């Protein structure tokens, strides 16, 4: 799955890994039931609800998309700790190269494992990757039933408001 990325974005959203469905259709967060696009809209990152095939529109809004691990799976829970750690190393290189203002990692477990931060919590992180601020949000996959859509939107909005005040 190719990254949707450009230098010096406002926010680089980072999924755990693409779903098999997304890899087949070629768009990030494309699986029906994924709540990424509704959360972006409800939180004010976009002025309307985008469909996955409109993902390129994010770049003009200063946002991009990448993943910790490139391998597509049916569920992120089949990824190994080694894959996540290697993905974390590659992600750090990418972030240092493209220098987004903020890296928003979509999945607390992926952040904890990939960057060896077992006690990390959601929200802004104390460490940075180069000059990039790190913020952790819940995984928006429809398979993650821990967060209702309204909660996801509120957490995404906290990030948007924090970035607007910078």
């Amino acid at each position: 799955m190719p990254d949707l990325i450009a230098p010096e974005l406002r926010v680089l959203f980072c999924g755990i890994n693409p779903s098999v469905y997304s890899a087949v259709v070629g768009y990030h967060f494309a699986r029906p039931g994924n709540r990424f696009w509704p959360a972006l809209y409800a939180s004010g990152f976009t002025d309307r609800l985008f469909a996955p095939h409109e993902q390129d529109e994010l770049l003009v809004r200063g946002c991009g998309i990448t993943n910790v691990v490139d391998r597509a799976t049916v569920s992120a829970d089949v990824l190994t700790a080694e894959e996540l750690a290697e993905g974390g190393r590659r992600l750090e290189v990418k972030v240092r190269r493209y220098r987004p203002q903020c890296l928003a990692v979509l999945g607390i477990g992926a952040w904890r494992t990939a960057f060896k931060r077992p006690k990390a919590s959601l929200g802004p992180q104390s460490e940075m990757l180069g000059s990039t601020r790190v913020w952790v949000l819940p995984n928006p996959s429809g398979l993650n039933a821990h967060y209702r859509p309204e909660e996801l939107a509120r957490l995404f909005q906290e990030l948007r408001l924090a970035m607007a005040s910078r």
Side-chain angles (χ1 to χ4, degrees), residues 1-6 9 11-16 27-30 36-37 40 52 54-56 58-59 62-68 91 94 103-104 106:
M1 173 72 74
D3 289 334
L4 181 67
I5 196 167
L9 293 168
V11 179
L12 179 59
F13 290 99
C14 181
I16 301 169
Y27 300 111
H28 292 275
F29 303 105
F36 176 76
W37 299 104
L40 282 187
E54 298 176 292
Q55 67 183 20
D56 290 350
L58 287 181
L59 289 175
C63 298
I65 305 173
T66 189
N67 289 289
V68 176
L91 178 60
K94 188 180 302 182
L103 173 69
L106 307 178

Side-chain angles (χ1 to χ4, degrees), residues 31-71:
R31 183 178 172 170
N34 192 294
R35 299 168 302 166
F36 176 76
W37 299 104
L40 282 187
Y41 172 59
S43 64
F45 271 102
T46 60
D47 56 356
R48 64 179 176 79
L49 179 59
F50 285 7
H53 71 271
E54 298 176 292
Q55 67 183 20
D56 290 350
E57 295 292 319
L58 287 181
L59 289 175
V60 299
R61 289 163 172 77
C63 298
I65 305 173
T66 189
N67 289 289
V68 176
V69 174
D70 292 333
R71 181 169 72 98

